[in-house]
Amino acid sequence: ALYTACGGVEPRHTLPITLDVGTNNDVLRHDPLYPGLDAQRVRGPQYDDFVDEVMCALREHFGKEFLVQFEDFGNSNACRLLEKYRHQYVCFNDDIQGTSAVAVAGLLSALRVEGVPKKLIDHRLLFLGAGSAGIGIANLFLRACVQEGLEEHQARKLCWFVDSKGLVHDARNDLGVEKHRFAHSLLGRSVPRSLEQIVHELQPTALIGVSTLGGAFTENVLKAMARCNSRPIIFALSNPTSKAECSAQAAYVYTNGRAVFASGSPFAPVELADGRRFLPGQGNNALVFPGVGAAVSACKLATVSDDMFLAAAQSLSELTPDSALKSGCLYPPLSSIRDTSAHIAAAVVAANSDEHQKDMSIAAFCKRMYDPHY
């Protein structure tokens, strides 16, 4: 539905698929109305063989040009399945790449806010949560920093992570490959324990929540961010609202209205005691993936690269009007989503390495869009 409503893709060209591999939730399994497989969740080689069978069947039926969007795969599967299939099939993972594009777009928009350092390479990012979403955002941020002239290994040092066991650093021996790439030296300093202490020690310019720990950005954490930044960037990207790291109200109140805020869930406008009013923006993946899908569908692209998602992020940021930034919103309005998708689709095609595909204009995408009105 979102591909059609937001990206103008014809409904007959889309097919939602759910992979039912069972559940370990006994309450669900014993519910007479539960429609899923009545079995413990399948894992390991059997799970991988099943996903392989599905992917092969899709190719056999639809051919090589079909696009697969992975959605809601857990951390243990999301990254590895994306890496396994991205060079064999036309596919992307929205929770990783879509989220990263929306988050980086928000960071790019924040650069236009008065008082915020004007280059990405002048920022230090602290992530609460080191799963596939956070790693994905960091990796796309690296690409953007490289475009600004920084070496990748230098850009990596601008990203710090906090996981369930605390600060990710190079003295830990329990890190997977992805986390280890962002494990930096503390240069002999003791390891700060609380998030407030970590903020005080690292002095990040941006605090990005992808942890699903509701309320983790406490009053003290937000005030610590405000002490080390004139305009602290606060992204509480976890959803639903109950799992957001902080509310828009908290972000603005505890930073005295100086926060540059975005969230994964929608929040109502905030009015402070002094009369200032903010309209917080939601970093909704629907701002990105319909345009990417429209580009792949229209031009039959053979691959979906990270450079395409960076192009999508840059396009999305450019579409954010100055009036929105002044009111506290880092994204264009959802009311203009089809126009946004057309711009993103054109940017994605332009970022494609296949030269003969670079002539699809924004107007051409608008003309191709399916109109859902009857």
Side-chain angles (χ1 to χ4, degrees), residues 21-240:
V21 293
T23 177
N24 294 336
N25 186 325
D26 289 335
V27 174
L28 286 177
R29 289 179 57 206
H30 297 147
D31 188 328
L33 297 180
Y34 179 61
L37 184 67
D38 184 10
Q40 290 288 315
R41 185 178 177 86
V42 172
R43 300 183 185 278
Q46 188 179 358
Y47 173 90
D48 288 349
D49 289 345
F50 174 58
V51 177
D52 253 344
E53 185 177 353
V54 171
M55 295 296 285
C56 290
L58 288 171
R59 171 171 284 178
E60 182 177 342
H61 187 80
F62 295 109
K64 294 182 178 180
E65 295 175 343
F66 76 96
L67 168 67
V68 174
Q69 174 182 321
F70 294 113
E71 190 81 35
D72 291 337
F73 283 74
N75 282 334
S76 61
N77 295 318
C79 286
R80 68 182 189 85
L81 290 179
L82 177 61
E83 290 307 312
K84 177 179 180 178
Y85 292 119
R86 67 187 306 174
H87 301 299
Q88 304 175 46
Y89 297 86
V90 185
C91 65
F92 70 91
N93 184 303
D94 183 52
D95 298 309
I96 300 174
Q97 294 160 291
T99 298
S100 66
V102 171
V104 170
L107 292 172
L108 291 169
S109 293
L111 303 182
R112 293 159 53 194
V113 175
E114 185 177 356
V116 174
K118 298 307 175 189
K119 291 185 176 181
L120 290 177
I121 60 177
D122 294 326
H123 287 265
R124 180 180 292 116
L125 277 51
L126 176 61
F127 294 85
L128 179 63
S132 57
I135 296 294
I137 295 169
N139 284 332
L140 198 63
F141 174 79
L142 298 189
R143 284 183 173 270
C145 288
V146 169
Q147 278 195 2
E148 286 191 357
L150 211 60
E151 295 290 336
E152 183 175 324
H153 71 276
Q154 296 172 314
R156 200 175 296 123
K157 294 178 181 178
L158 301 178
C159 298
W160 289 78
F161 283 86
V162 177
D163 65 8
S164 60
K165 297 182 180 178
L167 183 65
V168 172
H169 58 91
D170 64 355
R172 283 178 52 177
N173 57 11
D174 60 345
L175 302 176
V177 175
E178 291 296 329
K179 289 184 188 180
H180 193 268
R181 294 176 62 242
F182 294 96
H184 310 307
S185 172
L186 291 173
L187 302 175
R189 296 171 292 182
S190 60
V191 180
R193 297 299 177 185
S194 70
L195 184 58
E196 179 187 359
Q197 291 172 334
I198 293 170
V199 168
H200 176 75
E201 185 71 29
L202 297 182
Q203 305 274 295
T205 58
L207 181 60
I208 300 175
V210 282
S211 66
T212 68
L213 297 174
F217 294 170
T218 63
E219 175 181 352
N220 287 341
V221 169
L222 293 168
K223 286 182 175 179
M225 284 294 295
R227 283 194 295 271
C228 59
N229 297 283
S230 60
R231 298 301 302 271
I233 298 172
I234 309 292
F235 285 3
L237 299 182
S238 295
N239 52 54

Side-chain angles (χ1 to χ4, degrees), residues 355-373:
E355 289 293 332
H356 79 275
Q357 295 283 10
K358 292 193 174 185
D359 58 352
M360 284 293 284
S361 67
I362 296 166
F365 275 108
C366 288
K367 186 176 180 180
R368 292 178 61 97
M369 280 186 165
Y370 173 82
D371 186 352
H373 294 93

Side-chain angles (χ1 to χ4, degrees), residues 228-269:
C228 59
N229 297 283
S230 60
R231 298 301 302 271
I233 298 172
I234 309 292
F235 285 3
L237 299 182
S238 295
N239 52 54
T241 307
S242 61
K243 295 185 178 181
E245 286 75 14
C246 70
S247 65
Q249 179 86 19
Y252 291 123
V253 168
Y254 296 134
T255 64
N256 193 28
R258 292 189 282 120
V260 180
F261 178 80
S263 60
S265 299
F267 283 101

Side-chain angles (χ1 to χ4, degrees), residues 269-285:
V270 175
E271 186 167 335
L272 299 184
D274 59 10
R276 284 180 294 166
R277 192 169 188 270
F278 300 93
L279 301 175
Q282 180 189 4
N284 194 322
N285 286 18

